[in-house]
Amino acid sequence: MEYRFVCSGKTYRVNIVADKEESWQVAIGDGKPLRVELITSSSGCYSFLMDGEPITAYAVEGGGKVYIFVAGQSFAFELEKGRARGTSGREVARGSGNLVASPMPGSLVKLLVSRGDEVEEGQTLAIVEAMKMENELRSPIKGVVRRVNFAEGNQVDALQPIIELEAL
Amino acid sequence: MEYRFVCSGKTYRVNIVADKEESWQVAIGDGKPLRVELITSSSGCYSFLMDGEPITAYAVEGGGKVYIFVAGQSFAFELEKGRARGTSGREVARGSGNLVASPMPGSLVKLLVSRGDEVEEGQTLAIVEAMKMENELRSPIKGVVRRVNFAEGNQVDALQPIIELEAL
Amino acid sequence: MIKKVLVANRGEIAIRVMRACQELGIKTVAIYSDADREALHLRIADESIPIGAPPASESYLNIDRIVRTAKRVGADAIHPGYGFLAENPDFAQRCEEEGIIFVGPTSATLRLVGDKVAARGTMQKAGIPIIPGMTFVGKGIEDFRKATSSLGYPVLVKASLGGGGKGMRIVRNERDLKNAIAAGRREAKSAFGDESVYLERYIEEPHHIEFQVLADKFGNVIHLFERECSIQRRYQKIVEETPSPTLSGELRTRMGEVAKKAIKAAGYTNAGTVEFLLDRDKGFFFLEVNARVQVEHPITELTTGVDLVKQQLLIAAGEKLALRQEDISQRGHAIEARIYAEDPTQDFLPSPGKILYLQEPQGPGLRIDSGIYPGCEVTPYYDPILSKIIAWGETREFARRRLIQGLKNYAILGISTTVGFLIDLLEHPQFVEGQTYTNFISKNMGGWRPKGNALDQALMVAAILSSEAPTKPEIVAAQATSPWQELGEWEICGSGV
Amino acid sequence: MIKKVLVANRGEIAIRVMRACQELGIKTVAIYSDADREALHLRIADESIPIGAPPASESYLNIDRIVRTAKRVGADAIHPGYGFLAENPDFAQRCEEEGIIFVGPTSATLRLVGDKVAARGTMQKAGIPIIPGMTFVGKGIEDFRKATSSLGYPVLVKASLGGGGKGMRIVRNERDLKNAIAAGRREAKSAFGDESVYLERYIEEPHHIEFQVLADKFGNVIHLFERECSIQRRYQKIVEETPSPTLSGELRTRMGEVAKKAIKAAGYTNAGTVEFLLDRDKGFFFLEVNARVQVEHPITELTTGVDLVKQQLLIAAGEKLALRQEDISQRGHAIEARIYAEDPTQDFLPSPGKILYLQEPQGPGLRIDSGIYPGCEVTPYYDPILSKIIAWGETREFARRRLIQGLKNYAILGISTTVGFLIDLLEHPQFVEGQTYTNFISKNMGGWRPKGNALDQALMVAAILSSEAPTKPEIVAAQATSPWQELGEWEICGSGV
């Protein structure tokens, strides 16, 4: 069986075949399959043998993602939903290239453009403050401001489009 | 509403009335009701205000009991099932006074009496070893051995009657 | 002695202070904003009082409300922790006026050392080396332009009331100067309520070394050796250690004496830190006095055996320092790593959200000062520090390995954190060699991503869990918000009722 | 240096040893019985090998199998931990024959000090004071009766190969002598594979004080001061501290020198402990040499800053002691409390079962050496120790308060533990005053029950949870045994597949 996981905007293919009880053959992408055995699982903590090497992983699910901590690194995976089912908010904000959103919730402290302004790629369009840090939102493209959805002082949510652009 | 909880063989009455959302009036036995408010709960950890005093409690349920840790002390409660529904294994073993059982699983290393023997109250009848510790099982009464259910070297479960006595 | 302390802070430092109070037999009062109704520091305190809306300006920075709360609950002292009002002279003065002990220096001292520009002048007069730069607050752009003409680029924009890197901007050419000053002013205003900024020469690849001092009200001053705080991102420390691998014994002694001199020049009392920059030629310059307990104070505690927060409380209560300089020695080595709710793959962008899973490490030589619990919400309102992990070892190398093992067992899921980044930083060959300087991260860790083998392992785990997942309708541990969502099989027990 | 260590143990001590190995860059191999397939020490090791059925005699005591396993995996050393084979001379000898480094003294030394009767003779000859009693192993009951006629009652039955209180019985009159000897022999046989017992005068209300020593293979011996281990139940320590509140500086120095003399008399190498009884008149008697790392070693580590397990490994590898006596000093105070799966309301009866919930404390000055995790099964096969919590403080009182706070935040649910008992013990006025002696528990803590107000609070919580519990069919965290029982809302994610 093949799964496609999305992590930080990249898609990863994983092929998995159940071997025997609590044992699998798993291959990443077109790589060689590895034998993975589950030794124990308890309260979100899982012990595996991966090709004989003991690996402890922690996993939890929330908000449609699975979060996994292994070897000190943590990852958030989403199962790829297929193109037919449309794109998520995050994909819109990042992928289409003409929407500018804050990657985190915060307060819109500065709005540097208005409707109709021409902007350069990399130009700072707005500043959002969260956790006492200012973060500049820059234009992903050269274009024209088509819409501004918020005013200075507004609270904005993560990935909520603040400015909509049209490419030039 | 009244609950009856059994803990270490004793029964405790608790009266509880819901006050408003996440707030209750609770009385132990015939005591004065106390106002208890729930502040937070997360992953088995609960913060309450009891009569204004902050109390953190941990709780989990398993095997028909609820386990509660508060102020460094832990308790296991069972809801009293009512007399009509018979007595549990533990109650049989302890309450009737004529059954001798090990309070923990272990190995029966020594059997000191046989069927028909007369025994004194407090006399050692058998020795069970668990976790490298010998534990003597003593007679709760003066009586006669009616039955011996295990042989030396057998594994015994917690609260499984090993010797049955008849009072003299 | 103090009887009851109101802790005017939140998170790990509020808990740290409360623990010290408990050990001294002092009652504690927590305050909390509406966003912190479920925060961990409420569970530790003897009582907890709400003090306002989530924005800090309406709660943790609300001087009037905090002072009134202290009076109402009968607290005879306020401990401000770090950040928020810790170095606010108006707050300290208000406490003085109301007869409440402020656990820190006097308002007059705070005013002096808090004004970086004034402090630079005082130190210069006392014969302490300072970094070349402005000794007055810049007004119009011309003031700044003029300063750069003698200093040369790069320069650093600094907030006069600054601290923790807030309001700081490095400027490498004339073109960026104006924007940098404007941004610095906005951040300074938001963080400290004052937009004064000035310029200093920017020293390339310096070491950031600070000395911990304790000063009582009777003129006794001791230092507790240094902390090497060069590893920073966004001008904020993220890894600190002591002893510094850079200092020779002779230099350490000399800087310690200068630190004590600086403290005396400022008329400083209570626990404080004298920060220095050490340049490539081992020249050192006074940077500022941090008039608070520092985030990184545990590494000093672990190597000297002195409890700094308890000392703060004793000094504030008017006691004489029981420690003399000759009582203080360093034993072994300690390293602290700060765990932030930040995404190190996105330039340390704050990452608020819910902690869906938490497993903290333990074991020999590890100390965890934590402000989080499983299921808690990390809100976007405050500094994104979650916890600190500190390792002590007989040698730097043993401490480093312990810290890495600790981080590898510090499972926080649901939000991005600095854990994985810190492991790779601590394993970097330059860190292993003790080659720490303030641009270590931008130079060595740029474009950091988790290593491929960890990603592969995580993908395999994800695939296994996906392939075995039957339908199950709710989230365990993560989103349980009321008792009955967590107690399984309860009805077996309850059915008899 | 050693490259790979097989740790012939389980639980917290196996993990402790593995952590020391990791810090020294040594690979680790865990062994486990069938009962321990899911034990925590497997998660820490680089590889894990099953070695037999649950009874220790078929697994952790199976010398042949353990040695063959070590050879097969290429381990050049075996660390035995404490208990099991730690002080077994046959095991050490087998390692010597097979060319495997045994992390401990030589088999010859183990044979000498392990035979308590022979050790008493050796020490007597070296001029070290010993407790009056038999200097030979008793055979028939007459041997013992004869000994009691000169010693007088009460006497102590002790296993010649004993340790940890196993096989020990106090006898207060002639009538109980025979049964006590038989029981002592059975326990000794089961614990040590040898039923030899002897009698010693029973000293009333003694202090149990031991000195930690390190001895290399070049004749260098140092001591690392004492541990006060008087608080015991069933002849087994449960609370230990250092420095001892009972010793004067002069007595401490004198006992330390005697401890080193004893170690030299025994030709002892590696880490070891010389145990003394201190009577009411401050007279001290050699009790025995413990030829292993002790359960309570962390309190010495926290006050001296020396990592004893790393020292064990370095000495075993043939290195010279880098520490001299004058390098060793005590800083502050440390207290350890042992958390056992035992029911303190039922005379410390072992309480095996599943740990349904676990929340371990953390914070300044606390160290947790733990062998458990949420959901793990505590089986009835082995010693019921779960974990140790150790508090360091600048003073005894600060350490004591920290330890109590730590215990109050150490939530273990599902089995009975000593946590609540330990809190009340540490709060007992006699403990606060430092009045510790070996019958402290029977004298001060008899019939212990949790305090009524804790019970009341727990009952209120139980009632609230009962009253709010709707139907919910399964147990969270507790009984989850496979991934899909724990990942909620997984199908939301999986539905796209």
Side-chain angles (χ1 to χ4, degrees):
Chain A
M1 174 155 201
E2 185 180 280
Y3 291 92
R4 286 168 185 264
F5 295 104
V6 181
C7 178
S8 299
K10 281 195 185 169
T11 301
Y12 301 90
R13 281 185 304 118
V14 188
N15 267 287
I16 181 164
V17 181
D19 202 2
K20 48 181 192 176
E21 206 188 342
E22 305 201 327
S23 176
W24 301 264
Q25 298 282 342
V26 192
I28 312 289
D30 299 317
K32 197 172 132 279
L34 234 65
R35 171 113 177 262
V36 183
E37 290 168 86
L38 179 68
I39 307 296
T40 69
S41 68
S42 169
S43 301
C45 178
Y46 304 90
S47 295
F48 295 100
L49 277 183
M50 292 191 178
D51 212 18
E53 189 193 349
I55 299 289
T56 299
Y58 298 84
V60 75
E61 195 279 342
K65 286 188 196 167
V66 63
Y67 296 88
I68 292 172
F69 178 86
V70 62
Q73 305 293 342
S74 56
F75 302 91
F77 296 121
E78 265 177 294
L79 269 175
E80 201 181 62
K81 301 282 169 58
R83 291 184 190 98
R85 302 179 62 197
T87 48
S88 75
R90 183 173 287 263
E91 283 157 350
V92 173
R94 302 249 169 109
S96 68
N98 60 357
L99 295 176
V100 176
S102 169
M104 57 179 179
S107 166
L108 184 63
V109 292
K110 201 88 198 157
L111 198 53
L112 300 162
V113 291
S114 323
R115 195 174 158 186
D117 286 2
E118 284 195 19
V119 298
E120 293 300 312
E121 185 182 332
Q123 185 181 333
T124 303
L125 307 180
I127 295 172
V128 170
E129 190 191 277
M131 290 169 158
K132 294 264 156 263
M133 268 292 305
E134 283 200 359
N135 293 282
E136 299 186 356
L137 303 186
R138 290 160 187 273
S139 179
I141 54 168
K142 181 176 166 67
V144 176
V145 175
R146 273 292 155 241
R147 253 183 95 140
V148 178
N149 298 320
F150 294 89
E152 279 186 16
N154 282 178
Q155 283 296 124
V156 294
D157 263 353
L159 308 179
Q160 221 174 350
I162 297 167
I163 293 162
E164 302 182 14
L165 303 169
E166 188 178 310
L168 275 186
Chain B
M1 175 154 201
E2 183 179 282
Y3 291 93
R4 283 168 187 264
F5 295 105
V6 181
C7 178
S8 301
K10 281 194 187 170
T11 301
Y12 300 90
R13 282 186 302 119
V14 188
N15 267 287
I16 181 165
V17 180
D19 201 3
K20 46 181 192 176
E21 208 187 342
E22 306 202 327
S23 176
W24 301 264
Q25 298 283 341
V26 192
I28 312 291
D30 300 316
K32 196 174 133 277
L34 234 65
R35 172 110 179 263
V36 183
E37 291 169 85
L38 179 69
I39 308 296
T40 69
S41 68
S42 168
S43 301
C45 178
Y46 304 91
S47 295
F48 294 100
L49 276 184
M50 292 191 178
D51 211 18
E53 190 194 349
I55 299 289
T56 298
Y58 298 85
V60 74
E61 195 278 341
K65 285 186 196 169
V66 64
Y67 297 87
I68 291 172
F69 178 87
V70 60
Q73 305 293 341
S74 56
F75 302 91
F77 296 120
E78 268 177 293
L79 270 174
E80 198 179 65
K81 300 283 168 58
R83 290 185 192 98
R85 300 178 63 195
T87 47
S88 74
R90 184 174 283 265
E91 284 158 351
V92 172
R94 301 249 170 111
S96 69
N98 61 356
L99 296 174
V100 177
S102 168
M104 58 180 178
S107 165
L108 184 62
V109 293
K110 202 85 198 159
L111 197 53
L112 300 162
V113 291
S114 322
R115 194 176 159 188
D117 286 1
E118 283 194 18
V119 298
E120 294 299 313
E121 185 182 331
Q123 185 181 334
T124 303
L125 306 181
I127 295 172
V128 171
E129 192 191 275
M131 288 169 160
K132 295 264 156 261
M133 267 294 305
E134 283 200 359
N135 293 281
E136 300 185 356
L137 304 184
R138 289 161 188 268
S139 179
I141 53 168
K142 181 175 166 67
V144 176
V145 174
R146 274 292 155 242
R147 256 182 93 140
V148 178
N149 297 322
F150 293 90
E152 278 186 14
N154 283 176
Q155 283 295 123
V156 295
D157 264 355
L159 309 179
Q160 222 174 349
I162 296 166
I163 293 161
E164 303 183 10
L165 303 170
E166 188 179 311
L168 274 185
Chain C
M1 191 52 200
I2 294 166
K3 299 226 166 1
K4 195 179 202 177
V5 167
L6 182 146
V7 181
N9 216 301
R10 61 183 302 283
E12 67 87 17
I13 193 61
I15 293 165
R16 168 72 189 93
V17 171
M18 289 173 193
R19 284 189 169 128
C21 290
Q22 285 171 342
E23 287 163 24
L24 287 168
I26 299 170
K27 292 277 170 201
T28 57
V29 182
I31 59 171
Y32 62 98
S33 78
D34 296 345
D36 278 344
R37 193 173 172 268
E38 307 199 342
L40 189 58
H41 68 291
L42 278 68
R43 292 190 192 162
I44 316 291
D46 294 306
E47 56 191 304
S48 300
I49 312 286
I51 40 102
S57 56
E58 296 175 41
S59 47
Y60 297 106
L61 292 172
N62 187 335
I63 293 177
D64 189 57
R65 184 131 184 209
I66 291 170
V67 171
R68 280 190 292 115
T69 300
K71 299 208 79 154
R72 184 163 59 79
V73 300
D76 47 352
I78 293 179
H79 194 302
Y82 55 68
F84 294 130
L85 296 170
E87 294 169 276
N88 185 313
D90 297 336
F91 182 56
Q93 190 177 336
R94 180 73 189 278
C95 290
E96 288 159 7
E97 287 162 5
E98 303 273 358
I100 297 170
I101 296 170
F102 175 80
V103 181
T106 62
S107 61
T109 307
L110 277 179
R111 234 174 269 287
L112 170 66
V113 304
D115 184 337
K116 307 302 170 199
V117 172
R120 282 163 59 83
T122 303
M123 294 306 154
Q124 199 170 30
K125 259 182 253 155
I128 289 164
I130 63 168
I131 301 170
M134 292 163 69
T135 49
F136 58 94
V137 168
K139 296 273 186 308
I141 186 71
E142 302 71 31
D143 287 350
F144 297 97
R145 287 223 175 91
K146 203 168 141 200
T148 60
S149 68
S150 69
L151 290 172
Y153 285 96
V155 292
L156 209 52
V157 179
K158 292 182 74 172
S160 186
L161 301 187
K166 304 281 164 61
M168 203 155 21
R169 286 284 189 281
I170 173 170
V171 186
R172 297 202 172 267
N173 54 55
E174 172 103 26
R175 190 167 54 109
D176 295 340
L177 185 64
K178 198 175 166 185
N179 277 348
I181 287 165
R185 279 179 166 159
R186 268 196 311 275
E187 252 183 56
K189 175 88 180 159
S190 149
F192 317 110
D194 181 294
E195 62 167 25
S196 303
V197 298
Y198 68 104
L199 297 183
E200 257 178 26
R201 176 176 296 163
Y202 178 70
I203 295 175
E204 298 277 359
E205 295 202 1
H207 285 272
H208 183 123
I209 291 176
E210 60 186 30
F211 273 71
Q212 176 67 51
V213 293
L214 288 174
D216 67 17
K217 295 174 181 174
F218 306 93
N220 301 302
V221 180
I222 61 170
H223 75 82
L224 294 96
F225 299 100
E226 82 281 13
R227 292 184 289 257
E228 160 80 57
C229 305
S230 299
I231 306 286
Q232 309 187 347
R233 55 98 190 68
R234 290 194 324 224
Y235 313 110
Q236 276 201 314
K237 304 159 192 170
I238 187 163
V239 172
E240 303 96 349
E241 64 183 302
T242 185
S244 162
T246 313
L247 294 194
S248 66
E250 183 273 322
L251 186 53
R252 175 174 295 117
T253 306
R254 199 146 48 87
M255 289 176 78
E257 290 310 309
V258 172
K260 288 201 279 186
K261 197 169 152 194
I263 285 297
K264 282 174 185 162
Y268 191 94
T269 53
N270 214 288
T273 297
V274 182
E275 297 201 332
F276 296 103
L277 282 191
L278 184 73
D279 69 18
R280 280 183 274 201
D281 308 321
K282 308 277 182 194
F284 62 91
F285 304 95
F286 169 83
L287 198 60
E288 59 186 48
V289 173
N290 290 135
R292 59 176 188 264
V293 65
Q294 299 272 95
V295 178
E296 59 273 22
H297 75 278
I299 59 175
T300 299
E301 296 187 325
L302 290 179
T303 47
T304 63
V306 176
D307 187 314
L308 294 170
V309 181
K310 281 197 208 121
Q311 291 293 330
Q312 284 194 297
L313 291 160
L314 293 171
I315 291 170
E319 296 204 12
K320 226 173 179 147
L321 262 183
L323 299 161
R324 291 155 308 166
Q325 189 64 55
E326 57 267 34
D327 298 331
I328 308 299
S329 62
Q330 290 173 305
R331 178 189 271 178
H333 197 101
I335 313 179
E336 171 181 280
R338 302 188 189 184
I339 300 178
Y340 284 101
E342 292 180 348
D343 186 348
T345 69
Q346 290 195 52
D347 202 23
F348 299 95
L349 206 63
S351 163
K354 197 185 192 76
I355 293 179
L356 301 178
Y357 189 90
L358 177 66
Q359 180 67 52
E360 300 189 308
Q362 33 84 334
L366 283 185
R367 166 173 164 180
I368 313 287
D369 280 19
S370 170
I372 53 174
Y373 61 86
C376 77
E377 192 79 43
V378 180
T379 66
Y381 299 106
Y382 317 111
D383 186 77
I385 196 164
L386 299 174
S387 76
K388 308 180 305 205
I389 173 168
I390 310 105
W392 179 91
E394 290 155 293
T395 63
R396 182 175 193 267
E397 184 57 14
F398 286 147
R400 190 185 70 85
R401 292 184 188 183
R402 274 191 179 161
L403 187 54
I404 291 168
Q405 280 306 321
L407 286 162
K408 284 188 174 169
N409 289 289
Y410 210 138
I412 305 172
L413 293 177
I415 57 174
S416 291
T417 75
T418 48
V419 169
F421 175 84
L422 287 164
I423 293 170
D424 289 354
L425 190 157
L426 292 164
E427 285 180 341
H428 193 283
Q430 291 229 25
F431 186 86
V432 175
E433 284 170 22
Q435 302 290 327
T436 51
Y437 34 84
T438 53
N439 57 341
F440 181 96
I441 287 179
S442 54
K443 203 160 171 184
N444 296 312
M445 303 291 295
W448 177 85
R449 290 284 177 284
K451 289 196 189 98
N453 58 343
L455 174 62
D456 285 358
Q457 289 169 355
L459 283 166
M460 291 192 230
V461 174
I464 288 168
L465 299 186
S466 300
S467 71
E468 294 293 331
T471 55
K472 180 154 162 301
E474 101 290 352
I475 294 176
V476 161
Q479 301 187 342
T481 51
S482 54
W484 50 93
Q485 281 185 273
E486 295 184 285
L487 287 173
E489 278 190 336
W490 185 251
E491 83 289 359
I492 293 177
C493 204
S495 60
V497 180
Chain D
M1 191 49 200
I2 294 165
K3 299 225 166 1
K4 194 179 202 177
V5 167
L6 181 146
V7 181
N9 216 302
R10 61 184 301 284
E12 67 87 17
I13 192 62
I15 293 164
R16 169 73 190 93
V17 170
M18 289 172 192
R19 283 188 170 130
C21 291
Q22 286 170 342
E23 287 163 24
L24 287 167
I26 299 170
K27 291 276 171 201
T28 58
V29 183
I31 58 172
Y32 62 98
S33 77
D34 296 345
D36 277 345
R37 192 172 173 270
E38 307 198 343
L40 189 59
H41 67 292
L42 278 68
R43 291 190 193 162
I44 316 291
D46 295 306
E47 55 191 305
S48 301
I49 313 288
I51 40 102
S57 56
E58 296 173 42
S59 48
Y60 297 106
L61 292 172
N62 187 336
I63 292 178
D64 190 58
R65 185 133 184 205
I66 292 171
V67 170
R68 280 190 290 116
T69 300
K71 298 208 79 154
R72 183 163 60 79
V73 300
D76 48 353
I78 294 180
H79 195 302
Y82 55 67
F84 293 132
L85 296 170
E87 293 170 277
N88 185 314
D90 297 336
F91 182 56
Q93 191 177 334
R94 179 72 188 278
C95 289
E96 288 159 8
E97 287 162 8
E98 302 273 0
I100 297 170
I101 294 169
F102 174 81
V103 181
T106 64
S107 61
T109 306
L110 277 180
R111 236 174 267 288
L112 171 67
V113 303
D115 183 339
K116 306 303 168 198
V117 172
R120 282 163 59 82
T122 303
M123 294 306 155
Q124 199 170 32
K125 258 182 255 155
I128 289 164
I130 63 167
I131 300 169
M134 292 164 71
T135 49
F136 59 94
V137 168
K139 297 274 186 306
I141 185 73
E142 302 70 32
D143 289 350
F144 296 98
R145 286 223 176 93
K146 205 168 136 198
T148 60
S149 68
S150 69
L151 290 172
Y153 286 96
V155 293
L156 210 51
V157 179
K158 292 182 73 172
S160 186
L161 301 187
K166 304 279 165 64
M168 203 157 19
R169 286 285 186 282
I170 174 171
V171 187
R172 298 203 172 264
N173 54 54
E174 172 102 28
R175 192 167 53 110
D176 295 341
L177 185 63
K178 199 176 165 182
N179 277 348
I181 287 165
R185 279 180 165 157
R186 269 196 311 275
E187 252 183 58
K189 175 86 181 159
S190 149
F192 316 112
D194 180 293
E195 63 168 23
S196 303
V197 298
Y198 68 104
L199 297 183
E200 257 178 25
R201 176 177 296 162
Y202 178 71
I203 296 175
E204 299 277 359
E205 293 202 2
H207 285 271
H208 183 125
I209 291 177
E210 59 187 31
F211 273 72
Q212 176 68 51
V213 293
L214 288 173
D216 67 16
K217 295 173 181 175
F218 306 94
N220 302 303
V221 181
I222 61 169
H223 75 82
L224 294 97
F225 298 100
E226 81 281 14
R227 293 185 289 257
E228 160 81 57
C229 304
S230 300
I231 306 286
Q232 309 187 348
R233 54 96 189 72
R234 290 193 326 222
Y235 313 110
Q236 276 202 314
K237 303 160 193 168
I238 187 162
V239 172
E240 303 96 348
E241 63 182 302
T242 187
S244 162
T246 313
L247 295 195
S248 65
E250 183 273 324
L251 185 54
R252 175 173 294 118
T253 306
R254 199 145 48 87
M255 289 176 78
E257 290 308 310
V258 172
K260 289 201 277 188
K261 197 167 152 193
I263 285 297
K264 283 175 183 161
Y268 191 96
T269 54
N270 214 290
T273 297
V274 182
E275 297 202 333
F276 296 103
L277 283 191
L278 183 73
D279 67 19
R280 279 182 274 200
D281 308 320
K282 307 279 182 191
F284 63 90
F285 304 96
F286 169 84
L287 198 60
E288 60 186 48
V289 172
N290 290 135
R292 58 174 189 266
V293 65
Q294 300 272 93
V295 178
E296 59 272 22
H297 74 277
I299 58 174
T300 299
E301 296 187 326
L302 291 179
T303 47
T304 64
V306 175
D307 187 314
L308 294 170
V309 180
K310 280 195 208 126
Q311 291 293 330
Q312 284 194 296
L313 292 160
L314 294 171
I315 291 169
E319 297 203 12
K320 227 174 179 146
L321 262 183
L323 300 161
R324 291 156 308 165
Q325 189 65 56
E326 57 267 33
D327 297 330
I328 309 299
S329 61
Q330 291 173 302
R331 179 188 271 178
H333 197 100
I335 314 179
E336 170 181 280
R338 301 189 190 182
I339 300 177
Y340 284 103
E342 293 179 348
D343 186 347
T345 69
Q346 290 193 52
D347 202 22
F348 299 96
L349 207 64
S351 162
K354 197 183 192 79
I355 294 178
L356 301 178
Y357 189 90
L358 178 66
Q359 181 67 52
E360 300 189 308
Q362 32 84 331
L366 282 186
R367 166 172 164 181
I368 313 288
D369 280 20
S370 170
I372 53 174
Y373 60 86
C376 78
E377 192 77 46
V378 180
T379 67
Y381 298 106
Y382 316 111
D383 186 77
I385 196 164
L386 299 175
S387 77
K388 306 180 305 205
I389 172 168
I390 310 103
W392 180 92
E394 292 156 291
T395 63
R396 183 175 192 267
E397 184 55 15
F398 286 147
R400 190 185 70 86
R401 292 184 189 183
R402 272 190 181 163
L403 187 53
I404 291 169
Q405 280 305 322
L407 285 162
K408 284 188 174 171
N409 290 292
Y410 209 138
I412 305 173
L413 292 177
I415 57 173
S416 291
T417 75
T418 49
V419 169
F421 175 85
L422 287 164
I423 293 169
D424 288 352
L425 190 157
L426 292 164
E427 286 181 340
H428 192 284
Q430 292 230 21
F431 186 87
V432 175
E433 285 169 23
Q435 302 290 326
T436 53
Y437 35 83
T438 53
N439 58 341
F440 181 96
I441 287 180
S442 55
K443 205 162 168 181
N444 296 313
M445 302 291 294
W448 177 85
R449 291 282 177 285
K451 288 196 190 101
N453 59 341
L455 173 62
D456 285 358
Q457 289 170 356
L459 283 166
M460 291 192 228
V461 174
I464 288 169
L465 299 186
S466 301
S467 72
E468 295 294 330
T471 55
K472 179 152 165 302
E474 102 289 353
I475 295 177
V476 159
Q479 301 186 343
T481 52
S482 54
W484 52 93
Q485 283 185 275
E486 295 186 287
L487 286 173
E489 280 188 338
W490 186 253
E491 83 288 2
I492 293 178
C493 203
S495 61
V497 181

